[in-house]
Amino acid sequence: MNLDAAKQTFLEEARELLEDMERILLDVEATDTTDEQLNALFRAMHTIKGSAGLFGMDEIVHFTHEAENVVDLLRSGHLALSEDLSGLLLRCHDHVKAMLAVVDDKATQQEMLQTSLLDELRHYAQPAAVDEPAGSSQASAPEQGGLRDWVMSLRFNEDVLRNGMDPSAFFRYLRLLGEFLVVQPVLCRLPQAERFDPESCYLRFELLFSSDASQQMLLDVFEFVREDSQIHIFPVGEAAAHWPQLIADADEAEQAAVRQAWLALGLDPDATAEPEPAPPAKAADKASDKASEKADKPATGAAEAKPPRASESRFIKVEAAKLDSLINLIGELVIAGAAANLMARRSAQSALVESTIAIANLIEQIRAGTLSMRMVQIGEIFSRFPRVVRDVSKELGKSIQLNVSGADTELDKSMVDKLGDPLMHIVRNAMDHGIESSEARLAAGKPAEGNVWLNAYHESGSVVIEVADDGAGLRKDKILAKAVANGLVPADSVLPDGDIYKLIFEPGFSTAEQVTNISGRGVGMDVVRRSIEQLRGTIDIDSAVGEGTTFRIRLPLTLAIIDGFLVSVGNATFVIPLETVIECIELPPDALQGDAHNCLNLRGEVLPLLGLNRFLELGQPHAKRQNVVVVRYGDSKAGLVVDELLGEFQTVIKPLGNLFRHLRAISGSTILGSGEVALILDVPSLIHFATSQEAERFASHAEHAQQRGGHGNH
Amino acid sequence: MSSTIKLDEECTIYQAAQLRQQLADALMASDSLTVDLSAVGEMDSSAAQVLLWLHSEATRLQKTLALVQLSAAARELFTMLGLLIYLPIVEEEAGHES
């Protein structure tokens, strides 16, 4: 039984439709509406209503029906999309979303129907709908010319029941759109005795239906089954012309039965039968059937010529778990491939080596391809912000413009899911605390309208997301004073700017003088930092008083497989994420390793060095020649001193056990082709350590000189 | 030899296979089968289809089949799908025994 699956599909589709709806509503505020947009609005409400009907969600049907009426008036030009109305529709959007969230809870849904939104909707629908019979809940879309009689021929596919569709549900829903005049079941397909499978559907119905709905609306009712089943709906007058189409797939007994049914409906199938589409040739018949169907469409009304829904044809929905297990397998494949490659090299058979290289190449492509399947555009989360900014700025009485760029930057789906909340928090914070009130802005010589920027881009193997505002900026002195008052830092400490700003991520920290609804309760920023860190990301703040603040979130591209750079120290092997590696140089013999300067002059730039041997306390004897791997993360660089450079290696990240979670220098482990385990170095924290080590040394020098001074610790 | 079988409250696709088995067995076991629909609270096309099939089986095997005591839900479904005249519905106030 696939009822749950069908429901999931419905919920997913509804979610997408609602997103479309929201986007359009926010768009049209700025510009004029186009027919396309209004049609999309209508389709969102209409499709949700239709599908909800199939699943017996009567409350949602009821609500969306009212909204649909209003949107339909918009579409027909009887109403204009005023700010008030689009606000109302946005609230309806929220309401439908909320109803969908409690789809299994009938009681709550019932309660949710008791909303003033319905009255507001009716208020809009009323003036224009005076010519409609009042209170007729089935009066959808008064399209061209009122009540009509329709002939429907519904030949359900055998699998509809198994797929969770119940033909009677379509009937129930149709009753909302009009009235059944005569229903003639065609039962001859029902097999005898054992051949009858109670979970297959053998039913066919020929019926007369009276409704003021358009042909398209009636066809839309069957949207979920149209693909497999043969659903034909024609105005009574045109029906006979389509007779050959209706019986194209039917055997003689069925043809006879359908003919009987038609006679019972008072229709004459032979009235104006088409020139005879050569019945013996079955295949040709089918083809011509399709062709004639196509040819017929423009003739039977432009309404039916609906362009295929882009999202249906271009995307396949795949369960996330399946993709995860595929990625897992590919991880194993990468390891196995590396092992095979190693064996081949050892065997010194060049043909074998060559073929393993070819395989490795293919694996690399598969890996890239599969990982890209997990990648989604960050626009998915950005898209909810226009709404938030709009609502919050209204609430705060500030005028704020949101500028989004880089929405097409891709990152791992699992990260996108977890990023939403922290981003939301930062944006709200920026609006509430960052942007000043219009008066204050004008007084400071800035335009009254504040700006919030959302920006995303790729940089050296990571994704960077920036949230910037042009508000008042962070006040270092205030933050420091507060931190000192809270006992977070010693009173006389000297901290670099970046570290001062980072204090706002400490639990219970808020400099806002006023606690508002939006933010400022001092909970949250620490949660933001924690959730970013859980994604192996970092967050930095730039700020200038009077000019604004920028939050910069830096995240790894993916969580599963990385390109690694293999190095060895003594007989231990380590992996450095390749995207952080800038260059490799030989350690100059005169560069002192140890006590004095742990720095290297790299083309005039001072590069802090970190000897892995010493730092990780490996206790290995020094190799004769040592190398420096220059790594970069964000704006800082450092050199890692290692013994040997072993080259690139596709690395499947195996997370460390809980016991090792707190380790700062190691981010994970991997298995080499030889079966050995190699640890993956956590470059950001190594760099951090290298630079702070330098800073400390510098500070202690200063200390000696001045006899006093604080020193930073990480 | 006749027997009566009373359908459960729920007659949907979830019970279709079981329902078909139950009814087929009952039809095999007796010459005249009465199906009591008074308890049916929920019924979908699949259950209706099983009853249609049972009717055709009964005809084929020359046995008697009667559907009695239609609940509101069952009657609504049969009416909506236009099946009333295709099923052997007996409308009398039949008292039934086990």
Side-chain angles (χ1 to χ4, degrees):
Chain A
M1 277 308 303
N2 288 329
L3 192 59
D4 283 344
K7 208 164 171 177
Q8 276 309 315
T9 314
F10 159 61
L11 290 175
E12 184 79 357
E13 189 190 34
R15 199 178 56 82
E16 280 168 17
L17 285 166
L18 285 172
E19 271 172 23
D20 284 351
M21 178 174 177
E22 184 178 31
R23 210 190 48 240
I24 292 167
L25 285 172
L26 292 168
D27 271 3
V28 294
E29 279 197 324
T31 56
D32 289 333
T33 55
T34 64
D35 285 353
E36 204 177 313
Q37 288 170 325
L38 292 176
N39 280 334
L41 284 182
F42 179 76
R43 195 170 60 227
M45 284 295 104
H46 180 68
T47 311
I48 292 174
K49 177 176 98 166
S51 309
L54 291 183
F55 292 101
M57 304 166 184
D58 298 335
E59 294 76 17
I60 296 180
V61 173
H62 188 83
F63 186 83
T64 45
H65 177 76
E66 299 289 344
E68 179 190 346
N69 280 346
V70 172
V71 182
D72 194 47
L73 289 171
L74 275 174
R75 198 168 65 143
S76 60
H78 287 99
L79 276 175
L81 193 60
S82 61
E83 188 169 334
D84 192 34
L85 181 52
S86 78
L88 172 63
L89 288 174
L90 273 174
R91 277 180 288 136
C92 290
H93 156 274
D94 293 346
H95 200 71
V96 174
K97 208 170 185 175
M99 288 178 100
L100 286 170
V102 292
V103 132
D104 293 321
D105 187 350
K106 279 266 170 202
T108 315
Q109 292 208 341
Q110 287 282 3
E111 273 172 40
M112 293 179 78
L113 266 188
Q114 313 300 323
T115 165
S116 60
L117 286 174
L118 281 176
D119 294 330
E120 289 184 54
L121 283 170
R122 290 198 191 107
H123 170 73
Y124 271 105
Q126 219 95 79
V130 271
D131 48 343
E132 295 277 324
S136 70
S137 69
Q138 37 189 256
S140 323
E143 291 218 338
Q144 75 294 67
L147 277 181
R148 274 177 101 169
D149 288 352
W150 302 90
V151 178
M152 296 192 183
S153 172
L154 315 174
R155 188 182 195 261
F156 292 100
N157 180 276
E158 282 201 7
D159 286 331
V160 290
L161 288 170
R162 260 184 290 263
N163 291 340
M165 304 292 167
D166 176 9
S168 65
F170 295 102
F171 279 72
R172 288 213 172 85
Y173 183 63
L174 278 175
R175 279 199 304 210
L176 298 174
L177 295 175
E179 194 185 343
F180 290 104
L181 301 176
V182 196
V183 179
Q184 276 293 331
V186 175
L187 305 172
C188 62
R189 284 163 68 211
L190 210 63
Q192 283 194 335
E194 289 308 312
R195 280 183 295 122
F196 171 74
D197 175 354
E199 290 183 359
S200 290
C201 180
Y202 306 100
L203 300 174
R204 172 172 184 159
F205 296 93
E206 306 295 313
L207 57 95
L208 284 181
F209 186 70
S210 160
S211 168
D212 56 5
S214 69
Q215 187 173 28
Q216 188 56 45
M217 286 170 77
L218 295 175
L219 281 169
D220 279 350
V221 171
F222 298 94
E223 180 137 355
F224 273 89
V225 291
R226 251 164 88 190
E227 224 164 275
D228 308 321
S229 305
Q230 287 152 28
I231 306 295
H232 297 286
I233 300 175
F234 304 110
V236 166
E238 296 170 26
H242 294 283
W243 171 253
Q245 206 174 312
L246 302 184
I247 51 161
D249 281 350
D251 58 18
E252 267 176 40
E254 189 177 339
Q255 288 191 19
V258 175
R259 185 177 293 269
Q260 276 292 322
W262 273 46
L263 292 174
L265 295 179
L267 297 168
D268 182 2
D270 303 316
T272 50
E274 272 185 352
E276 191 56 33
K282 266 263 167 187
D285 195 355
K286 247 185 169 173
S288 78
D289 166 33
K290 280 235 172 81
S292 73
E293 202 171 38
K294 269 196 190 116
D296 281 337
K297 272 184 177 166
T300 51
E304 202 187 356
K306 170 185 168 187
R309 278 259 290 296
S311 61
E312 266 167 18
S313 54
R314 276 192 292 139
F315 294 110
I316 305 174
K317 291 199 172 93
V318 183
E319 229 175 280
K322 281 188 189 166
L323 203 53
D324 286 344
S325 76
L326 180 64
I327 287 175
N328 226 343
L329 270 180
I330 288 170
E332 300 296 330
L333 186 64
V334 168
I335 293 174
N341 195 333
L342 196 74
M343 301 299 277
R345 272 193 218 162
R346 279 192 193 150
S347 78
Q349 296 179 35
S350 58
L352 190 57
V353 172
E354 239 168 67
S355 61
T356 54
I357 288 174
I359 292 174
N361 229 327
L362 289 172
I363 294 178
E364 159 69 16
Q365 287 175 32
I366 295 176
R367 187 200 72 151
T370 320
L371 286 181
S372 74
M373 280 193 237
R374 280 196 67 95
M375 303 297 257
V376 294
Q377 298 193 342
I378 197 163
E380 199 172 291
I381 17 180
F382 279 7
S383 63
R384 59 173 102 146
F385 285 102
R387 173 76 188 279
V388 173
V389 171
R390 173 186 183 274
D391 289 356
V392 172
S393 60
K394 274 198 180 152
E395 195 175 323
L396 293 170
K398 296 178 185 174
S399 156
I400 300 173
Q401 180 70 37
L402 178 72
N403 309 286
V404 176
S405 57
D408 55 352
T409 309
E410 291 191 321
L411 81 169
D412 198 279
K413 168 86 177 140
S414 58
M415 282 199 260
V416 167
D417 293 344
K418 288 176 189 148
L419 258 179
D421 290 343
L423 266 187
M424 180 71 75
H425 203 93
I426 299 174
V427 170
R428 279 168 173 269
N429 241 313
M431 286 187 289
D432 197 13
H433 301 320
I435 308 265
E436 320 89 321
S437 63
S438 301
E439 302 84 56
R441 289 181 67 88
L442 287 171
K446 294 200 264 190
E449 191 180 61
N451 282 289
V452 172
W453 288 271
L454 272 176
N455 185 22
Y457 54 92
H458 282 174
E459 189 188 84
S460 63
S462 39
V463 179
V464 181
I465 303 163
E466 289 177 346
V467 181
D469 63 67
D470 61 353
L474 292 173
R475 297 274 302 274
K476 267 182 284 181
D477 49 339
K478 246 191 196 175
I479 296 173
L480 205 52
K482 176 98 179 201
V484 170
N486 282 4
L488 290 170
V489 289
D492 51 356
S493 54
V494 181
L495 292 174
D497 288 1
D499 287 3
I500 296 178
Y501 297 143
K502 275 187 186 164
L503 288 170
I504 66 168
F505 291 120
E506 294 300 325
F509 197 96
S510 174
T511 53
E513 286 114 3
Q514 239 182 347
V515 172
T516 67
N517 263 340
I518 313 296
S519 54
R521 289 187 208 85
V523 284
M525 284 316 257
D526 58 320
V527 180
V528 168
R529 181 173 64 176
R530 211 175 318 133
S531 32
I532 299 292
E533 279 174 356
Q534 266 167 11
L535 297 171
R536 293 204 282 117
T538 55
I539 181 162
D540 291 303
I541 305 174
D542 268 350
S543 182
V545 172
E547 286 170 28
T549 311
T550 303
F551 286 82
R552 198 167 289 118
I553 300 171
R554 199 176 287 274
L555 294 165
L557 266 184
T558 172
L559 300 171
I561 307 179
I562 56 168
D563 281 316
F565 186 72
L566 270 187
V567 298
S568 76
V569 180
N571 51 19
T573 314
F574 295 96
V575 179
I576 302 170
L578 188 65
E579 65 240 9
T580 63
V581 176
I582 305 175
E583 61 181 322
C584 300
I585 52 174
E586 199 176 320
L587 185 71
D590 59 332
L592 287 172
Q593 256 250 272
D595 327 312
H597 277 298
N598 265 2
C599 279
L600 184 71
N601 185 338
L602 180 70
R603 294 184 290 274
E605 195 181 342
V606 177
L607 189 72
L609 284 183
L610 191 68
L612 286 185
N613 195 349
R614 238 178 72 110
F615 177 68
L616 298 172
E617 295 170 10
L618 298 172
Q620 303 281 349
H622 278 296
K624 269 199 183 131
R625 291 168 61 184
Q626 289 185 299
N627 293 290
V628 177
V629 182
V630 181
V631 291
R632 175 179 113 143
Y633 188 75
D635 301 326
S636 32
K637 286 183 191 173
L640 303 177
V641 182
V642 301
D643 289 354
E644 251 190 287
L645 307 174
L646 302 175
E648 289 178 30
F649 177 73
Q650 279 187 30
T651 308
V652 182
I653 300 180
K654 304 268 175 196
L656 293 172
N658 268 334
L659 202 55
F660 303 109
R661 272 279 152 76
H662 64 281
L663 285 183
R664 298 286 295 171
I666 310 288
S667 63
S669 64
T670 188
I671 300 167
L672 302 177
S674 58
E676 281 171 58
V677 172
L679 296 174
I680 302 169
L681 296 177
D682 181 5
V683 171
S685 53
L686 286 179
I687 293 180
H688 183 81
F689 186 82
T691 45
S692 67
Q693 191 186 17
E694 256 329 283
E696 226 167 278
R697 198 187 309 275
F698 180 78
S700 72
H701 273 282
E703 209 169 308
H704 282 303
Q706 297 184 358
Q707 299 295 329
R708 257 204 82 90
H711 69 114
N713 212 341
H714 81 280
Chain B
M1 190 179 68
S2 73
S3 62
T4 300
I5 199 162
K6 186 168 177 176
L7 295 192
D8 288 339
E9 201 251 331
E10 206 174 314
C11 296
T12 64
I13 179 71
Y14 294 102
Q15 294 84 27
Q18 185 202 338
L19 183 67
R20 169 238 166 100
Q21 197 57 47
Q22 184 191 8
L23 290 173
D25 290 350
L27 188 68
M28 283 303 144
S30 66
D31 297 324
S32 167
L33 178 64
T34 304
V35 181
D36 179 346
L37 300 177
S38 61
V40 173
E42 193 183 341
M43 190 177 224
D44 71 2
S45 320
S46 67
Q49 196 176 252
V50 170
L51 292 174
L52 287 166
W53 169 79
L54 189 70
H55 177 44
S56 76
E57 283 302 281
T59 318
R60 192 171 62 92
L61 302 170
Q62 299 186 331
K63 298 187 176 193
T64 320
L65 173 71
L67 308 184
V68 300
Q69 307 248 5
L70 268 63
S71 70
R75 187 173 299 279
E76 186 247 349
L77 182 80
F78 294 157
T79 315
M80 186 172 66
L81 299 184
L83 295 176
L84 283 174
I85 53 165
Y86 294 89
L87 288 166
I89 296 166
V90 180
E91 296 283 359
E92 58 196 302
E93 291 290 300
H96 56 93
E97 79 282 359
S98 55

